[in-house]
């Protein structure tokens, strides 16, 4: 199976034009602080930088990415930085949505085996109300049947469906946001005046 | 690092901590901001208590409490953006995804497990064994007294469970995962190994399941006080609040990279329980986590107690077998 059709899910690929005349060394020097982070290993050759991250800090500017390749191509129009970054976090978020759908289906399956609650044998007690509560105007204790109260405790797949939706939205947001953030960060490092 | 002597112990020898309320930074801004971030906590607490005290029976139920809980946390998330305690605790997309994954597990799989082998079963067994008449002496008390007693008894149990987790290796193993968080945000309380989250859920709250209104009011204490354990918001909490209740300051110290500091502030809601047992330290920390602040991946969070438990068993029994063979 050719993963290129689906690997956009956890890969971010893009390119960025460098300032005219900016050398590979100069460009990578400017990007260097991004890779001098806890848990980051990187290797630089003339036109290429390869990095990997493990247990990266939460506030690492590239914490979403776990590995990547940055290359500088010398085109006719000027040097261009091409990058390809891998993110386990994006893949995880993408898979979390079907995972919670699965949990929802599992909840439905399990709830089929739930025995109906037997009729309450004990008579509901007459709940006393303290005179202080009466004086302060609190509502009388609830004397409705117990089955009504138990509705909150039934197993339902609703929460799992909601979380499946939340992760689908979070994935779309993250895929767009992190793509733009890393491009803006590279741009800031490479093109800002020293 | 020299550390600071607090009672019989010295804290802050491994990582920087701040001790004493006078040394903790205050909210900076105009009069409106100062007013909001000084009185937000007490106002929300009393508003929630009043709501549950007077809510009609038709809405005084668990599903309403869940909705209020979610709404309150969304509001607090907004406050994290308005007035963060530390820039180094800013919520990122990745942190949000991680935190919500655990929140999701809590609302789905863990709830299912509790339904079959956890607190729901305990509640049913107690309800089956006792009749409400057996508790007339309790249900006849004023509602607020009932609620306060439930919250106190529950937090007293949580205090000892939590302290036990820090003192007994088999319980520390699942709890240690929660101590790998490196910043405090509103959903960080949900982050941890599922085994620990299940154990924490085995509170004695289920014992009071047949007193819905009192339980709902006691839940308001947990929501409007305990939630601030994990949050990135700077408040000027009033002096009486800081004396009675757990705060972000207390809990950040509990999550500090300094080992001795982590052995303090165990209560979830009422910090005066720590004061009674001599484990309270008033202060705060910014650098949080274990192993110098290493951020643990979700995969490792899931397997850590088992892999480390297995390693510890092998070390212990492997050595014993080797000695007996000699």
């Amino acid at each position: 199976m050719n993963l290129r059709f689906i690997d956009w899910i956890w890969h971010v690929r893009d390119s960025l034009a460098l300032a005219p005349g900016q050398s590979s060394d100069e460009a990578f020097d400017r990007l260097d602080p991004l890779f001098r982070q806890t848990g980051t290993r990187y290797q630089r050759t003339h036109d290429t930088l390869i990095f990997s991250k493990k247990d990266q800090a939460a506030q690492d500017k590239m914490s979403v990415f776990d590995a990547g390749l940055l290359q500088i191509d010398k085109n006719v129009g000027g040097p261009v930085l091409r990058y390809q970054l891998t993110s386990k976090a994006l893949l995880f978020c993408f898979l979390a949505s079907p995972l919670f759908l699965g949990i929802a289906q599992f909840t439905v399956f399990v709830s089929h085996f739930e025995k109906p609650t037997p009729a309450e044998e004990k008579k509901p007690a007459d709940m006393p109300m303290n005179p202080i509560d009466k004086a302060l105007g609190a509502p009388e204790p609830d004397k409705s049947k117990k089955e009504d109260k138990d509705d909150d405790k039934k197993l339902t797949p609703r929460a799992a469906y909601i979380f499946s939706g939340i992760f689908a939205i979070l994935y779309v947001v993250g895929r767009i946001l992190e793509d733009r953030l890393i491009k803006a960060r590279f741009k800031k490092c490479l093109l800002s005046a020293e | 690092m020299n550390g600071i002597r607090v009672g019989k112990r010295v804290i802050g020898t491994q990582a920087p901590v701040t001790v004493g309320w006078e040394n903790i930074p205050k909210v900076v801004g105009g009069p409106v901001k100062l007013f909001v971030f000084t009185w937000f906590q007490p106002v929300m607490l009393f508003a929630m208590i009043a709501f549950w005290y007077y809510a009609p029976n038709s809405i005084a139920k668990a599903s309403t409490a869940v909705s209020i809980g979610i709404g309150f946390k969304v509001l607090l998330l907004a406050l994290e953006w308005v007035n963060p305690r530390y820039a180094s605790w800013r919520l990122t997309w990745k942190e949000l995804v991680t935190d919500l994954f655990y929140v999701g597990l809590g609302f789905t799989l863990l709830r299912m497990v509790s339904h079959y082998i956890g607190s729901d079963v305990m509640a049913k067994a107690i309800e089956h064994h006792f009749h409400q008449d057996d508790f007339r002496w309790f249900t006849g008390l004023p509602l607020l007294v009932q609620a306060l007693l439930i919250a106190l008894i529950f937090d007293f149990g949580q205090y000892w469970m939590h302290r036990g987790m820090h003192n007994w290796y088999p319980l520390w193993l699942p709890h240690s995962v929660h101590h790998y968080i490196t910043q405090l945000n509103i959903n960080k309380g949900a982050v941890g190994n599922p085994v620990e989250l299940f154990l924490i859920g085995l509170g004695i709250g289920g014992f009071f399941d047949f007193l819905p209104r009192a339980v709902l009011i006691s839940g308001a204490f947990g929501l409007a006080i305990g939630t601030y354990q994990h949050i990135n918001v700077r408040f000027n909490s009033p002096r009486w609040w800081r004396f009675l209740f757990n705060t972000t300051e207390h809990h950040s110290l509990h999550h500090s990279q300094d080992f001795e500091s982590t052995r303090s502030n165990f209560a979830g809601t009422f910090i005066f329980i720590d004061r009674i047992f001599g484990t309270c330290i008033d202060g705060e920390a910014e650098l949080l986590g274990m192993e110098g602040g290493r951020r643990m991946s979700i995969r490792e969070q899931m397997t850590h107690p088992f892999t480390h438990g297995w390693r510890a068993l092998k070390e212990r029994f492997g050595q014993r077998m080797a000695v007996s063979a000699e």
Side-chain angles (χ1 to χ4, degrees), chain A residues 108-180:
Chain A
V108 173
F109 174 75
V110 168
S111 62
H112 282 304
F113 298 97
E114 285 273 280
K115 286 179 195 159
T117 318
E120 191 66 47
E121 288 166 18
K122 294 173 180 177
K123 270 199 309 188
D126 188 20
M127 294 274 276
M129 193 177 183
N130 191 279
I132 294 175
D133 295 326
K134 257 186 200 163
L136 289 173
E140 291 273 331
D142 191 7
K143 286 171 186 154
S144 63
K145 284 183 185 170
K146 195 178 176 300
E147 287 89 66
D148 299 339
K149 290 186 213 163
D150 273 357
D151 281 351
D152 283 335
K153 290 200 164 182
K154 279 182 186 156
L155 283 180
T156 70
R158 192 171 60 176
Y161 284 130
I162 291 170
F163 274 96
S164 177
I166 288 173
F167 281 105
I169 294 166
L170 274 175
Y171 175 75
V172 174
V173 170
R175 184 65 184 77
I176 296 167
L177 179 77
E178 294 298 336
D179 190 331
R180 289 184 179 189

Side-chain angles (χ1 to χ4, degrees), chain A residues 55 59 63 130 133 152-153, chain B residues 53 111 140 183 209 294:
Chain A
D55 296 334
Q59 299 298 325
S63 72
N130 191 279
D133 295 326
D152 283 335
K153 290 200 164 182
Chain B
Y53 191 83
R111 186 153 183 246
Q183 56 185 63
D209 216 47
R294 178 172 77 85

Side-chain angles (χ1 to χ4, degrees), chain A residues 27-28 30-44 49-53 60 62 67-70 85 182 186:
Chain A
F28 284 141
R30 281 171 166 256
L31 292 173
D32 205 49
L34 289 176
F35 301 101
R36 289 192 181 277
Q37 299 290 329
T38 316
T40 305
R41 298 172 73 177
Y42 69 102
Q43 207 178 4
R44 254 172 75 171
L49 187 151
I50 298 169
F51 74 91
S52 65
K53 286 175 180 284
D60 182 337
M62 292 180 71
L69 170 75
L70 288 81
L85 312 171
I182 196 62
F186 283 160

Side-chain angles (χ1 to χ4, degrees), chain B residues 10-29:
Chain B
V10 179
I11 67 156
T13 55
Q14 294 167 319
V17 295
T18 306
V19 175
W21 291 114
E22 64 282 3
N23 300 318
I24 290 173
K26 299 268 181 231
V27 177
V28 179

Side-chain angles (χ1 to χ4, degrees), chain A residues 122, chain B residues 125-135 207 210:
Chain A
K122 294 173 180 177
Chain B
I126 289 158
E127 272 189 64
H128 182 75
H129 193 72
F130 295 102
H131 190 263
Q132 286 178 350
D133 282 340
D134 299 332
F135 292 94
F207 283 68
F210 47 87

